[in-house]
Amino acid sequence: QVQLAESGGGSVQSGGSLKLSCAASGDFSSTFSAGRFCMGWFRQTPGKEGERVATIDSDSTSTYSESVKGRFTISRDDAKHTIFLQMNDLKPEDTAIYYCAADPFRGRCVKASFDPWGQGTQVTVSS
């Protein structure tokens, strides 16, 4: 079983930067490539639909939502079973709870079924 834990959220002013981390832990013996699997970042704001922010395949191929493309960068450190989300030029509309999720049994995210999920970390951007 794989568990995820996010960190790095906080409050910043518009135009600022934050870097989120998501560490995976648990038993990787039965997962895709012993821990090198599809992972992604999602965000949720009250009253709005959840948004898939960015995903990263096992080969580090990444995808981004149009709303963050060019400002956010997803990366991974497989030695530490950790992914990151570098968020630059933050805007008030980026305010949300950010969740990390994974599909431990796929390397490609295109047809991923994301489970498990982390507990979420709050990002607040003030104008």
Side-chain angles (χ1 to χ4, degrees), residues 38-57:
C38 159
M39 297 183 74
W41 289 99
F42 299 74
R43 66 186 180 186
Q44 179 70 55
T45 303
K48 293 185 179 181
E49 280 194 26
E51 180 182 11
R52 180 184 293 199
V53 175
T55 61
I56 187 163
D57 293 355

Side-chain angles (χ1 to χ4, degrees), residues 1-88:
Q1 201 170 12
V2 174
Q3 297 85 40
L4 304 175
E6 304 98 335
S7 61
S11 298
V12 295
Q13 290 192 326
S14 183
S17 297
L18 282 173
K19 187 173 184 177
L20 306 182
S21 299
C22 171
S25 61
D27 181 6
F28 299 119
S29 61
S30 64
T31 65
F32 182 87
S33 193
R36 189 180 177 125
F37 42 71
C38 159
M39 297 183 74
W41 289 99
F42 299 74
R43 66 186 180 186
Q44 179 70 55
T45 303
K48 293 185 179 181
E49 280 194 26
E51 180 182 11
R52 180 184 293 199
V53 175
T55 61
I56 187 163
D57 293 355
S58 60
D59 65 357
S60 296
T61 299
S62 57
T63 63
Y64 299 92
S65 68
E66 285 300 318
S67 62
V68 306
K69 198 173 289 185
R71 300 188 296 122
F72 291 11
T73 302
I74 189 171
S75 60
R76 62 192 303 150
D77 181 341
D78 288 312
K80 297 180 180 179
H81 298 295
T82 299
I83 66 167
F84 306 95
L85 187 68
Q86 177 67 48
M87 305 185 294
N88 298 328

